Amino acid sequence: MSDSLWTSRELAEFLRYQESTVRRLVSQHPERLPPRVAGLGRPRWDAETVKRWAAMPAASGARRGRPRVVPGF
C-alpha cells in the first residue's frame, strides 16, 4: 500500500473487503466508506483519514441488515 492516497484495492485490503464491494459502495452507498479525496478522476482516499475513520466508534443504534427473529414471537 502507498502511504498517501489509496486506491479502491488498497482501501479494500485495509478494511478487509472485496475490491468489488468497495466499488459498489462508492457508487451506491458512499456514506458507508471514509470520505474520498475530491477532484480526482478515480476514487482515492487519504491513508491517515481512513485510519482515523476506522478508529472511530460506530454510531450508536445504527444497526444494518435484516432484523433477527426472536424465538417465541
Side-chain angles (χ1 to χ4, degrees):
M1 280 192 258
S2 65
D3 290 334
S4 56
L5 295 180
W6 286 355
T7 63
S8 297
R9 177 176 292 155
E10 292 167 321
L11 179 65
E13 182 180 320
F14 178 79
L15 297 176
R16 296 184 181 152
Y17 288 169
Q18 294 292 321
E19 186 178 358
S20 60
T21 300
V22 169
R23 287 188 196 147
R24 181 179 53 80
L25 290 174
V26 165
S27 65
Q28 296 177 1
H29 301 285
E31 71 280 359
R32 293 186 185 176
L33 292 173
R36 296 183 343 201
V37 175
L40 301 176
R42 294 183 181 227
R44 296 289 187 263
W45 292 264
D46 176 66
E48 290 304 315
T49 302
V50 171
K51 291 173 185 176
R52 282 193 306 271
W53 177 86
M56 292 181 356
S60 62
R63 298 191 70 152
R64 293 198 172 107
R66 188 176 66 181
R68 294 183 182 177
V69 176
V70 179
F73 286 97

